[in-house]
């Protein structure tokens, strides 16, 4: 049985895409596959699973040497289990920049396209088979695209992502705005999470100018609920960074409706990063960055010291 999984701290795309692709491999290609997760799905992803009546995939801690796997929604070894290069990687489907560091046993199928969502790529790869997909699989595709594009607000959104989304919504008889609103409300409900859990909820590890950074993003329609916790969040950054082997945690709170991000600034190091990377002057422990919505396109490419 081939295991299909995305990155650690699974969001909607890294939860839904393994389900979509495992269905396609099993039912269309005749290659038995199983979706799994590398952690607990976030609140939006959990809502999507319930909404489309999809069972939550098994959460695994690692992979065994020689085990056949398909990687989706990432190609970054830092976001994958330790020992991933000892597994037998058979395919990669992704929409992020090529990081490097993965090793395969032989030539494999790799699809990386400049689209906003892995599910959009899968829609294209599946071709006519999409028509035979169960409602839940189509719903997962639709939800993944809405999540990754922030209902088409994100600058990563392409005309093709939007067209695929609209086609799926029409097929399913779903109102895009109503579904997106429900998803974003679920994503915004973070009251049950500890500060450390919030900092790790949607975070990725990057090296910038020799410094190891954990870059966390919380997308929400209710930023005040998070920003009211800024003092405790900034205090928790110290332990999270230490435990995760990072020099610093950066937390960007993205206001989906206002289309802006607020960066928490706990110290002079983050202040230096903020002022070197963005057209801003930091005067307190937060700074608002108008128009910043995408970690992949607007944050990671510009970070510097």
């Amino acid at each position: 049985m081939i295991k299909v999984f995305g990155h650690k701290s699974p969001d909607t795309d890294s939860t839904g895409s393994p389900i979509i692709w495992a269905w396609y491999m099993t039912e269309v290609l005749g290659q038995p596959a199983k979706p799994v997760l590398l952690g607990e799905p976030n609140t939006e992803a959990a809502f999507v699973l319930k909404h489309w009546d999809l069972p939550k995939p098994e959460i695994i801690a690692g992979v065994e040497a020689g085990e056949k796997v398909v990687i989706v929604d990432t190609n970054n070894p830092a976001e994958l289990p330790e020992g991933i290069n000892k597994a037998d990687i058979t395919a990669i489907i992704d929409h992020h920049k090529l990081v490097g560091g993965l090793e395969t046993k032989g030539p494999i199928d790799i699809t990386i396209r400049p689209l906003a969502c892995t599910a959009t790529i899968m829609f294209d790869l599946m071709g006519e088979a999409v028509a035979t997909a169960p409602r839940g699989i189509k719903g997962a595709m639709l939800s993944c695209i809405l999540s990754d594009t922030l209902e088409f607000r994100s600058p990563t959104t392409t005309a093709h992502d939007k067209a695929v989304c609209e086609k799926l919504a029409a097929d399913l008889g779903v109102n895009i705005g109503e579904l997106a609103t429900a998803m974003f409300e679920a994503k915004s409900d973070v009251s049950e999470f500890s500060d450390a859990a919030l900092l790790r909820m949607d975070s990725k590890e990057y090296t910038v100018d020799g410094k190891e950074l954990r870059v966390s993003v919380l997308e929400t329609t209710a930023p005040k609920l998070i920003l009211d916790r800024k003092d405790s969040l900034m205090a928790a950054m110290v332990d999270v960074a230490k435990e995760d082997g990072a020099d610093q945690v950066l937390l960007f709170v993205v206001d989906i409706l206002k289309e802006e991000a607020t960066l928490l600034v706990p110290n002079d190091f983050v202040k230096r990063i903020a002022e070197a990377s963005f057209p801003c002057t930091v005067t307190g422990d937060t700074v608002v960055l108008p128009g910043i919505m995408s970690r992949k396109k607007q944050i990671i490419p510009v970070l510097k010291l």
Side-chain angles (χ1 to χ4, degrees):
M1 183 77 71
I2 301 173
K3 289 181 179 176
V4 186
F5 51 79
H7 54 73
K8 298 175 184 176
S9 302
D11 54 11
T12 297
D13 196 18
S14 258
T15 300
S17 286
I19 295 172
I20 295 163
W21 201 246
W23 172 85
Y24 177 65
M25 291 182 68
T26 301
E27 301 298 332
V28 180
L29 300 182
Q31 303 172 10
K34 173 185 178 181
V36 296
L37 301 177
L38 301 183
E40 196 68 35
N42 69 14
T43 52
E44 182 188 78
F47 165 84
V48 168
L49 292 176
K50 183 177 180 180
H51 183 81
W52 296 110
D53 196 23
L54 295 166
K56 184 175 77 172
E58 176 190 357
I59 297 175
I60 63 170
V63 292
E64 297 180 5
E67 187 172 23
K68 291 186 179 297
V69 303
V70 172
I71 298 170
V72 302
D73 197 32
T74 186
N75 67 84
N76 186 348
E79 299 175 359
L80 294 165
E82 288 187 25
I84 186 63
N85 284 331
K86 294 181 180 179
D88 185 2
I89 303 169
T90 63
I92 299 171
I93 306 171
D94 192 18
H95 66 122
H96 297 92
K97 71 175 185 176
L98 186 63
V99 175
L102 290 178
E103 298 178 10
T104 63
K105 305 299 183 184
I108 70 168
D109 288 323
I110 299 178
T111 305
I112 301 177
R113 295 179 181 172
L115 294 168
C117 183
T118 308
T120 307
I121 301 172
M122 291 179 173
F123 179 94
D124 294 343
L125 293 176
M126 290 164 62
E128 294 180 358
V130 172
T132 69
R135 181 175 178 83
I137 295 298
K138 294 177 182 177
M141 282 186 178
L142 171 61
S143 299
C144 287
I145 300 170
L146 283 177
S147 177
D148 269 8
T149 64
L150 296 177
E151 195 188 0
F152 317 134
R153 295 176 176 88
S154 172
T156 62
T157 308
T158 69
H160 186 53
D161 289 295
K162 187 175 182 181
V164 169
C165 203
E166 291 173 343
K167 184 173 182 177
L168 287 165
D171 184 16
L172 292 165
V174 170
N175 181 292
I176 285 178
E178 290 178 1
L179 176 59
T181 296
M183 288 171 53
F184 298 155
E185 286 178 353
K187 181 185 292 189
S188 300
D189 182 9
V190 296
S191 57
E192 299 300 317
F193 291 89
S194 68
D195 294 323
L198 279 181
L199 293 174
R200 294 186 174 105
M201 181 175 290
D202 185 1
S203 65
K204 301 196 177 187
E205 300 168 21
Y206 294 94
T207 302
V208 177
D209 293 340
K211 295 293 185 180
E212 299 296 328
L213 303 178
R214 177 173 283 284
V215 183
S216 302
V217 172
L218 291 176
E219 299 162 341
T220 178
T221 55
K224 186 176 185 298
L225 296 178
I226 299 170
L227 295 175
D228 281 349
R229 296 170 58 174
K230 67 178 181 178
D231 290 342
S232 60
L233 282 166
M234 289 189 291
M237 288 178 180
V238 177
D239 287 338
V240 169
K242 183 178 180 180
E243 292 168 9
D244 296 357
D247 291 293
Q248 180 65 52
V249 177
L250 302 181
L251 176 60
F252 295 82
V253 181
V254 173
D255 186 327
I256 297 172
L257 302 181
K258 286 188 177 181
E259 301 187 19
E260 64 184 21
T262 298
L263 170 63
L264 272 59
V265 186
N267 52 44
D268 287 340
F269 179 66
V270 176
K271 177 180 179 180
R272 181 154 56 96
I273 293 175
E275 294 183 340
S277 307
F278 303 98
C280 68
T281 300
V282 179
T283 57
D285 57 9
T286 62
V287 61
V288 176
L289 306 171
I292 299 299
M293 302 279 284
S294 168
R295 172 173 46 205
K296 179 175 68 175
K297 192 167 185 176
Q298 296 174 301
I299 295 175
I300 295 304
V302 304
L303 286 182
K304 56 181 176 288
L305 299 179

